[in-house]
Amino acid sequence: MLYLSMILYKIEKNFPVQITQNYQSSPQICMCQKISFADQEISEPFQDCLYVAISPASVPAKFPAPLLILQTSGSAPSGMENYPHCRVSPDMAEKIYAFILSAVHQDLAFISNKEKLLSLIKNNLGLEAILKTAYAHLNNPIFICSMTLHVHAKYSPGFTPKNLRSKEGIEYFEADYKILREQNFFERITSSRVPFIFPEKIMGETLLQAPMHTQNSVLGYVCVSQVNRPFDENDVEYVAMLSDIICLELQKNSSISSYSIESRDHFLIDLINGNLDDPEMLELRSSMIHFKISSHNWLMLMRLRQKDTDRTIDGTIGFLKRFHTRRLVAKYQDSIVLLSSDSKYELMPQEEFEPFKNYMEERNFVCAISSCFHDISHAPDYFQQVQELLKLHEGQKMTEPIINAADCLDQLLLFHNPYSNRLRLLIHPDIKELYSYDQLHHTEYIPTLRAYFENERNAVKTAQALHIHKSTFFFRINKISELIDFSLTDTHKLYYYEFSLKIMDYQFREQQIASESRLS
């Protein structure tokens, strides 16, 4: 909308004049008309018309409509001081009048364009129709971006920006975050209320950017690329209006929450893919999505055991976002990834864990939980860990719905060991000797040692687990000592014995799986 004060400001900005601005209010202006007062009487002037008098011989003491006096020669008429006025040459007076006519015409066109875009919202024609209509006016490609530089929507026929990339089906602008910080890009997006231009040397293209504000936050921004024609002053006003229109469209379709969630998804995916290795950018991005990073972090990766159309991943993501509101959840390829960050060394309370475990089991999901890590920038390493956990779960044909790295670090080591095809080389020779003796003499020395390790190296608990008397347990230990020369106080050897037994158990399980596969 064009107001009298705006017209006077634009005149002073575009012409070497200074207007004495004597007016009580600044009404909206929709028309412009010359008036001389000498031979022209207007009984009922339009209240939204700016009347321009060029060197009038006289002016009324009180004119009931906006009036601008351009005095070109002679003495000032009585009463001129009651209205905005200035002295100019005759030629400049005509140029100023033509300028006002053009400004009014452009404003009417602006209002018409806004009504056109609003009608698209009223008629439920959607965001694509809005962008297509805006493109017809701007004649330059338009992108709707989140605060993470991801592209939410676009209309750019026949044009792809130099720095537009695509990963996992998601488009984003690739940029040097260090340069963006130096140029205060994100601060300008979050604090600015008007569009601004970023030069080509920073973003790869000359871009006109307008923040999309809601009452409580900034969703992202409208980005117009200078491709087909250079930007002008009218583009700035139009793009500012366009960002407001797009916000209305998102609110109308309840897309604001999903738009924000999408930004949270992008943050999590960028994090696990190693795209947030800059600590300052990591902190900035997390603050943008209102996610607090704490000292204890876990990653969880969930995957369906088999394709199941009745229990979709999208439905489970919806459940997790409601159930774990303090955590980040995103779809990643055919899986679901969840990041938990807490000040306490506790992934989730028991009253939460049991329902979660039941949900995973009922819907045929397997969930891998990483080890706890303190530095959030190490997330890519722990994401690789949960991926390996799922492979281990599948390879070992485990049945439990939850596999926790903290409970099977040894199996992870064996599963991805470069000796995986020669694990027998890692078994301690004492254990091999004891195993051979059991096979030959039908003794139970290996099961006795295994039970000892499984029962916290406690003689009483081990005897109870084996259903034998404590003295029988020590008799067997003495016999083992005679065979392989070891002592229960030799912790160094005991460590290698226990690890060797784990290798044997792992190999036995591998052989079982291979045998079952041959039979099936």
Side-chain angles (χ1 to χ4, degrees):
M1 293 181 181
L2 196 61
Y3 295 90
L4 175 59
S5 58
M6 294 170 63
I7 292 176
L8 300 182
Y9 168 76
K10 288 185 177 185
I11 293 173
E12 290 186 330
K13 186 178 179 182
N14 289 275
F15 296 92
V17 299
Q18 186 169 359
I19 300 171
T20 303
Q21 300 183 24
N22 295 333
Y23 57 91
Q24 299 298 318
S25 62
S26 181
Q28 183 181 347
I29 305 299
C30 297
M31 296 181 287
C32 181
Q33 180 181 328
K34 279 185 182 179
I35 189 170
S36 66
F37 294 113
D39 57 357
Q40 187 176 12
E41 292 291 335
I42 300 178
S43 57
E44 295 184 8
F46 295 105
Q47 298 299 306
D48 58 357
C49 177
L50 175 59
Y51 293 90
V52 180
I54 301 178
S55 287
S58 63
V59 295
K62 191 173 184 180
F63 188 67
L67 174 64
L68 172 63
I69 300 173
L70 304 176
Q71 191 66 25
T72 61
S73 62
S75 59
S78 176
M80 184 177 77
E81 66 276 2
N82 297 325
Y83 307 98
H85 62 275
C86 67
R87 283 191 173 275
V88 294
S89 66
D91 180 56
M92 187 174 291
E94 292 300 329
K95 288 180 178 178
I96 290 175
Y97 178 67
F99 175 80
I100 297 171
L101 283 176
S102 175
V104 170
H105 173 75
Q106 289 175 1
D107 185 61
L108 292 175
F110 179 84
I111 293 172
S112 174
N113 286 322
K114 185 173 184 178
E115 290 176 348
K116 189 183 295 184
L117 293 174
L118 286 171
S119 70
L120 298 176
I121 294 179
K122 292 175 183 175
N123 294 320
N124 300 315
L125 295 179
L127 184 57
E128 184 178 356
I130 292 173
L131 295 181
K132 187 175 182 179
T133 302
Y135 177 85
H137 177 84
L138 294 166
N139 193 26
N140 273 319
I142 307 168
F143 302 85
I144 309 301
C145 302
S146 70
M147 294 298 294
T148 58
L149 306 184
H150 290 82
V151 177
H152 177 70
K154 66 179 181 179
Y155 194 81
S156 58
F159 171 73
T160 301
K162 300 175 191 174
N163 61 339
L164 186 67
R165 303 287 182 265
S166 180
K167 192 170 186 178
E168 305 293 340
I170 299 172
E171 290 186 319
Y172 63 96
F173 281 107
E174 184 178 67
D176 187 326
Y177 283 116
K178 183 178 180 181
I179 295 178
L180 292 181
R181 285 200 311 277
E182 291 173 353
Q183 297 295 323
N184 297 318
F185 173 79
F186 294 103
E187 288 77 3
R188 294 179 71 180
I189 285 290
T190 53
S191 62
S192 177
R193 288 284 171 176
V194 294
F196 58 91
I197 291 178
F198 248 58
E200 181 176 1
K201 65 179 181 179
I202 296 176
M203 294 291 284
E205 309 285 343
T206 300
L207 304 172
L208 176 59
Q209 322 227 39
M212 295 192 301
H213 287 271
T214 62
Q215 186 175 2
N216 300 318
S217 62
V218 178
L219 292 179
Y221 56 94
V222 178
C223 175
V224 182
S225 185
Q226 183 176 270
V227 176
N228 301 322
R229 67 168 180 82
F231 298 131
D232 59 35
E233 185 177 311
N234 297 321
D235 291 336
V236 174
E237 292 186 20
Y238 185 90
V239 172
M241 177 266 293
L242 179 62
S243 71
D244 292 336
I245 293 291
I246 291 172
C247 273
L248 285 175
E249 172 66 17
L250 294 175
Q251 290 179 73
K252 172 177 169 286
N253 291 308
S254 302
S255 299
I256 283 186
S257 60
S258 63
Y259 195 89
S260 302
I261 288 171
E262 186 178 70
S263 296
R264 293 168 73 89
D265 293 355
H266 291 156
F267 171 83
L268 180 51
I269 291 170
D270 280 349
L271 179 67
I272 61 178
N273 282 334
N275 298 330
L276 290 176
D277 52 359
D278 184 310
E280 291 183 21
M281 181 50 57
L282 179 59
E283 183 179 353
L284 178 63
R285 288 274 301 271
S286 64
S287 66
M288 285 177 179
I289 60 170
H290 307 294
F291 181 73
K292 183 180 179 182
I293 297 174
S294 293
S295 55
H296 298 89
N297 304 284
W298 292 266
L299 278 171
M300 301 167 69
L301 187 63
M302 290 150 267
R303 186 176 297 159
L304 281 165
R305 292 176 186 267
Q306 57 190 20
K307 298 294 182 182
D308 192 333
T309 56
D310 294 326
R311 302 182 179 108
T312 65
I313 288 178
D314 291 340
T316 300
I317 289 175
F319 164 78
L320 292 172
K321 285 177 177 177
R322 293 189 301 272
F323 188 71
H324 299 282
T325 55
R326 295 177 289 105
R327 302 175 177 97
L328 295 183
V329 184
K331 183 176 182 180
Y332 186 84
Q333 298 178 350
D334 60 345
S335 305
I336 301 168
V337 60
L338 182 149
L339 171 66
S340 179
S341 190
D342 205 306
S343 59
K344 297 183 295 183
Y345 183 49
E346 181 182 45
L347 174 61
M348 64 179 77
Q350 192 63 29
E351 60 268 20
E352 282 188 24
F353 184 78
E354 284 304 319
F356 171 76
K357 180 180 177 181
N358 293 337
Y359 187 95
M360 291 289 103
E361 191 163 20
E362 289 169 4
R363 283 153 183 79
N364 211 20
F365 272 92
V366 177
C367 174
I369 301 174
S370 76
S371 301
C372 178
F373 55 102
H374 300 288
D375 188 340
I376 194 72
S377 66
H378 293 164
D381 297 329
Y382 288 88
F383 181 64
Q384 183 177 356
Q385 184 186 65
V386 289
Q387 288 179 306
E388 292 172 351
L389 279 170
L390 287 184
K391 291 177 183 176
L392 174 65
H393 189 282
E394 181 180 359
Q396 291 286 293
K397 295 191 181 300
M398 299 178 181
T399 57
E400 283 291 311
I402 307 288
I403 178 170
N404 194 325
D407 299 330
C408 54
L409 291 174
D410 54 339
Q411 294 185 63
L412 269 179
L413 180 65
L414 296 173
F415 188 68
H416 292 283
N417 196 288
Y419 278 94
S420 56
N421 295 323
R422 296 175 294 159
L423 285 176
R424 64 184 184 280
L425 301 179
L426 300 177
I427 300 174
H428 196 283
D430 287 358
I431 295 298
K432 289 181 180 179
E433 177 65 21
L434 206 57
Y435 179 78
S436 297
Y437 189 90
D438 274 351
Q439 296 295 305
L440 184 63
H441 298 91
H442 306 290
T443 51
E444 296 185 352
Y445 297 149
I446 287 289
T448 300
L449 269 184
R450 181 182 285 110
Y452 180 64
F453 294 132
E454 290 175 351
N455 287 276
E456 305 169 0
R457 301 187 185 186
N458 182 290
V460 175
K461 289 183 179 179
T462 303
Q464 290 174 346
L466 293 172
H467 305 291
I468 59 176
H469 194 274
K470 193 169 85 169
S471 60
T472 305
F473 166 75
F474 282 112
F475 173 80
R476 291 182 183 179
I477 292 298
N478 289 332
K479 294 295 293 183
I480 293 172
S481 298
E482 292 174 8
L483 291 169
I484 58 175
D485 187 24
F486 100 107
S487 166
L488 291 181
T489 60
D490 189 344
T491 56
H492 185 72
K493 265 192 176 181
L494 287 177
Y495 169 79
Y496 285 116
Y497 289 174
E498 183 172 6
F499 186 67
S500 296
L501 290 177
K502 288 184 180 296
I503 293 175
M504 292 174 65
D505 291 342
Y506 179 83
Q507 284 188 312
F508 178 71
R509 182 62 182 155
E510 288 276 280
Q511 292 167 1
Q512 270 191 323
I513 292 169
S515 176
E516 290 170 3
S517 298
R518 286 194 297 270
L519 290 174
S520 61

